[in-house]
Amino acid sequence: MTSNADFQAAFDATIGADEKIEPRDWMPDGYRNTLIRQIAQHAHSEIIGMQPEANWITRAPTLQRKAILIAKVQDEAGHGLYLYSAAETLGVSRDELQDLLHRGKQKYSSIFNYPTLSWADIGAIGWLVDGAAIVNQIMLQGTSYGPYARAMVRICKEESFHARQGYSILMRLAEGTEEQRAMLQDAVNRWWWPSLMMFGPHDSESTHTEQSMEWRIKRISNDDLRQMFVDQTVPQAHYLGVEIPDPDLHFDEDSGHWRFGDIDWDEFWATVKGNGRMNRERIAHKRKAWEDGAWVREAAQAYADKHAGRTSSMSEEAA
Ligand code: FAQ
């Protein structure tokens, strides 16, 4: 008979060999729960993250920009759905996850609690927010849970397009009038620091990093990912001709890294705990969309039930 110790040994060997854990495999409860927490939070972020950008669909400056933005927002919905599917393989239902989000029992990324005040914000989100998301998600393509890793491969491809469309919006503004350049700078001033916060608390303050890295759910720590993001983004800011709103930002010749100033962790934790600029509006809007969509779910279920009934009576007839 196989014992728990044997299952644990097989799990450890799979992680040690850098192979994937699949839904059919035994896994420790802590591993399963950590994945459900992280994947659900990630899925919720994609879905709530549609709101700030959708706010500008009706006001996009050209038909082409409008079409691109609609496609991007739809992509984010798709990412949410792949991720909910990945979470479902761990034994939770999508309805349960929605309920936990609506009751404030599960989180979503702090970044989506900031308002989009101008068209330049849409460019800044693509460049900085999708840019930060990609740095994190490239790492997650190598995560140890198979369904999560595979979802990340597709998501990263789409996010690359998102980041480019953001940068393209900002390039156009950078080449524009003084007023447009001021709008661009203002958006960067407001989105820079929240983008750095997306990577989570410092490693020394992070609750989950050590264990998640042992399980190879995370493969690079919060601080190291944040540094990678800053290093790749500062030269892009120079090319755009915008200033990064950080007087302490400087290039450190010895390490070859762009060193940056202190993050406002009080603002981060207030936002994570539900007291950011837009937390209440975001959740209220999400709950309303869920309630308004009840008839669609009921109709789809009725159709599925009817179809299942027809299929079973047809197979009875055939028998
Ligand atoms: N916001 O111990 P750690 C996107 C929480 S990309 C809110 O370091 P962990 C694309 C954390 O949950 C954005 N909460 O946690 C897009 C924990 O609390 P808990 C989504 C945060 O999990 C672009 C506590 O702090 N990406 O949506 C945040 O090891 C444009 C302690 O933290 C992902 O979710 C935060 N920023 O590391 C869509 C990536 N940071 O749960 C639309 C996957 C930390 O114990 C438009 N997730 N917390 O109560 C991850 O990689 C990780 O979960 C981290 C946090 C790195 C976010």
Side-chain angles (χ1 to χ4, degrees):
M1 215 174 81
T2 320
S3 71
N4 251 1
D6 294 331
F7 284 132
Q8 180 74 51
F11 172 84
D12 292 342
T14 307
I15 298 286
D18 217 356
E19 286 169 6
K20 299 293 178 215
I21 302 293
E22 295 296 340
R24 60 171 184 272
D25 296 334
W26 182 92
M27 60 189 89
D29 289 346
Y31 179 84
R32 186 184 299 276
N33 292 336
T34 298
L35 279 168
I36 292 174
R37 177 187 63 78
Q38 180 169 323
I39 299 173
Q41 178 167 329
H42 198 163
H44 298 327
S45 303
E46 302 281 357
I47 298 297
I48 299 274
M50 295 162 74
Q51 292 185 36
E53 288 178 288
N55 182 33
W56 278 87
I57 289 174
T58 54
R59 289 173 287 168
T62 66
L63 183 59
Q64 194 198 19
R65 292 285 185 205
K66 189 196 284 276
I68 294 170
L69 185 57
I70 291 172
K72 180 191 191 292
V73 172
Q74 283 178 340
D75 282 354
E76 307 301 358
H79 298 174
L81 299 185
Y82 313 149
L83 287 162
Y84 285 127
S85 298
E88 281 178 317
T89 65
L90 292 156
V92 276
S93 75
R94 208 170 285 213
D95 283 358
E96 259 175 272
L97 298 179
Q98 297 301 315
D99 183 54
L100 289 167
L101 171 66
H102 295 160
R103 289 192 293 116
K105 302 285 180 204
Q106 278 181 342
K107 298 183 167 72
Y108 59 89
S109 181
S110 49
I111 192 73
F112 301 117
N113 293 304
Y114 293 85
T116 38
L117 304 179
S118 76
W119 172 249
D121 287 20
I122 302 305
I125 290 180
W127 175 41
L128 298 174
V129 176
D130 285 279
I134 293 169
V135 170
N136 179 292
Q137 290 171 167
I138 285 176
M139 174 264 295
L140 289 173
Q141 289 181 13
T143 194
S144 57
Y145 188 56
Y148 192 22
R150 290 189 286 274
M152 283 300 118
V153 173
R154 180 156 176 191
I155 290 178
C156 280
K157 286 189 181 141
E158 293 177 353
E159 300 285 28
S160 304
F161 154 68
H162 298 169
R164 275 158 197 245
Q165 68 83 40
Y167 201 71
S168 145
I169 290 173
L170 298 183
M171 277 302 288
R172 182 53 75 89
L173 293 174
E175 291 157 359
T177 61
E178 205 171 302
E179 205 180 352
Q180 285 171 315
R181 282 197 295 277
M183 191 163 81
L184 157 59
Q185 183 63 59
D186 173 60
V188 173
N189 291 348
R190 286 180 291 104
W191 289 93
W192 174 255
W193 289 107
S195 299
L196 297 197
M197 294 175 195
M198 286 174 71
F199 295 95
H202 281 313
D203 297 347
S204 54
E205 306 288 321
S206 163
T207 331
H208 305 289
T209 295
E210 196 181 337
Q211 178 62 75
S212 288
M213 287 187 71
E214 266 176 40
W215 280 328
R216 298 195 180 169
I217 292 174
K218 284 166 93 162
R219 310 198 59 127
I220 304 178
S221 76
N222 298 359
D223 283 328
D224 288 349
L225 285 172
R226 190 169 12 244
Q227 184 65 61
M228 286 164 72
F229 171 69
V230 172
D231 287 340
Q232 89 174 24
T233 309
V234 172
Q236 295 167 358
H238 291 159
Y239 190 72
L240 270 178
V242 280
E243 264 182 51
I244 302 251
D246 177 358
D248 295 323
L249 185 75
H250 65 278
F251 189 70
D252 177 38
E253 295 283 349
D254 292 343
S255 64
H257 291 300
W258 284 94
R259 297 301 184 197
F260 49 96
D262 292 336
I263 291 171
D264 182 346
W265 293 112
D266 290 342
E267 178 182 319
F268 171 75
W269 287 115
T271 307
V272 169
K273 289 180 181 151
N275 296 316
R277 296 271 297 276
M278 300 293 285
N279 296 61
R280 285 170 192 81
E281 286 86 340
R282 297 290 186 237
I283 284 293
H285 188 80
K286 172 69 180 67
R287 289 164 84 146
K288 182 172 183 309
W290 181 255
E291 283 155 18
D292 289 351
W295 70 272
V296 179
R297 293 191 298 280
E298 276 163 28
Q301 190 60 52
Y303 180 81
D305 292 347
K306 192 172 164 209
H307 186 69
R310 196 186 305 142
T311 318
S312 66
S313 60
M314 274 164 61
S315 49
E316 273 161 30
E317 269 169 36

